[in-house]
Amino acid sequence: MNVLLIGSGGREHALAWKIAQSPKLTTLYAAPGNPGIAECATCVTLNVDDHAAVISFCREKSIPFVVVGPEAPLVAGLSDALRAEGIAVFGPSAAAAQLEGSKGFTKDLCAKYNIPTGAYQRFNNAPKAKAYVRAEGAPIVVKADGLAAGKGVTVAMTVDEACAAIDDCFEGAFGEAGAEVVVEAYLDGEEASFFCLCDGTTLLALASAQDHKRVGDGDTGPNTGGMGAYSPAPVMTPEIVERTMKEIIEPTMRGMAADGHPFSGVFFAGLMITAKGPELIEYNVRFGDPECQVLMMRLKSDLLDLLLATAEGRLQDASAEWRDETALTVVMASKGYPGSYEKNTPIAALPQPTETQRIFHAGTALKDGALVATGGRVLNVTAFGQNVTEAQARAYAMADQVDWPNGFMRHDIGWRAVARENQGEN
Ligand code: AMP
Ligand code: GLY
């Protein structure tokens, strides 16, 4: 079968690498892809906002199945447009993608179906939001309702900080995304991510991961899209996974179906493991980046089979097998990220993959045949190990071989888990 993959990040390189291993695949196309993806797919230029153009490309190339990597095309309704033409899609409808596209939508769903999450209220003006913050006190969390590229959340340690964040939202710091604001209770605990496929009526739990959002060592500095991740997350014990499925993901699936927008795709649940158990911070409706890279390293099953079973409502017959080892990925980013950074800086030849190590490309391009960095997050150096300590050592050993003077990375990805392993707790 021919497949079209939408996206160009490290997540999509990892998806392309796994899809390309499927015996069911004939040709994999990627739009727009990147030089890493080009090693396992045919990269094409397509305007994914132009749904008619995507449909006609699928017709021209006899593509019956499209895999959507990022959230923006889902929120914009690409899945709906393709499905209306009889093309199968991995990724939810625009209505179901509201789970990521509107924080207020998700909080209302949690309230209606008793899904554990922080207490909250939605606001469309600053004075009422501030009055609520003053009544509740700090710490408290202020969120722009819509998609804000991960920047619309302020975890405020004081009432003043929360009020300033409310002003920012309503004064347009996040454009339309901040026209509505959610104020929610601060949750205390350890964060983890959990991934689960859903075909509308059946769930297939995948795996857990933990990422590092801050740009600097020791989890300091501004938030980024993610500077590294590892899987599995030790905090997601079998008991916590079972509770997450029963208390959070199953009621979400049932609630979405009951409310008339059944969910098809992957639930990426951002969780806080509190003293009471798992609570939902947020949903994303696509794989995480860089979490996907560590998941794909560990997945033994045929990814194309799993994604197609999800899209076609056949998950009851599906299962996923995983390597027991830990996978860990280190993001190499352009100096200056998440602020401004220089583009088109040269990257010398990359180290070759080994049995346990490989590099996924994100913001790279070829210029006159030479590899250059064009994005903020540029390379994902990924490795396996018997535990986090070994995976971390292998990932950094490979990262140290990358000759890219304008690149930087964190040096402590996985530090919490490594510290635990060294104390003999795991
Ligand atoms: P989000 O974009 O919703 O994932 O939020 C970004 C980050 O803010 C999360 O990864 C958490 O670290 C933090 N955060 C969001 N909501 C809360 C909350 N209710 N309590 C504590 N931290 C939160
Ligand atoms: N790494 C977080 C995300 O993909 O949203």
Side-chain angles (χ1 to χ4, degrees), residues 10-11 14-15 191-195 207-213 224-231 268-270 282 284 286-298 322 327-329 331 360 377 380 382:
R11 165 182 51 211
L15 293 173
E191 268 187 83
S193 302
F194 191 71
F195 296 85
S208 63
Q210 246 165 341
D211 78 342
H212 293 265
K213 291 194 169 70
T224 68
M227 293 300 292
Y230 55 98
S231 171
F268 164 2
E282 64 160 1
N284 296 307
R286 36 85 194 168
F287 284 106
D289 188 346
E291 292 89 336
C292 186
Q293 289 81 313
V294 285
L295 257 54
M296 293 305 115
M297 281 293 265
R298 292 187 54 226
W322 301 89
L328 182 142
T329 189
V331 171
F360 296 112
R377 293 190 296 167
N380 306 118
T382 313

Side-chain angles (χ1 to χ4, degrees), residues 40 284 392:
C40 42
N284 296 307
Q392 185 196 54

Side-chain angles (χ1 to χ4, degrees), residues 103 118 141 143 150 153 155 184-188 191 213 223 272 281-282:
K103 297 194 185 290
V141 183
K143 300 185 174 182
V153 174
V155 180
E184 74 178 49
Y186 173 80
L187 299 171
D188 199 14
E191 268 187 83
K213 291 194 169 70
N223 266 329
M272 191 70 85
I281 297 177
E282 64 160 1

Side-chain angles (χ1 to χ4, degrees), residues 324-345:
D324 289 332
E325 291 107 315
T326 293
L328 182 142
T329 189
V330 176
V331 171
M332 300 186 77
S334 293
K335 284 178 185 162
Y337 174 80
S340 60
Y341 50 83
E342 199 184 331
K343 288 198 174 169
N344 298 316
T345 57

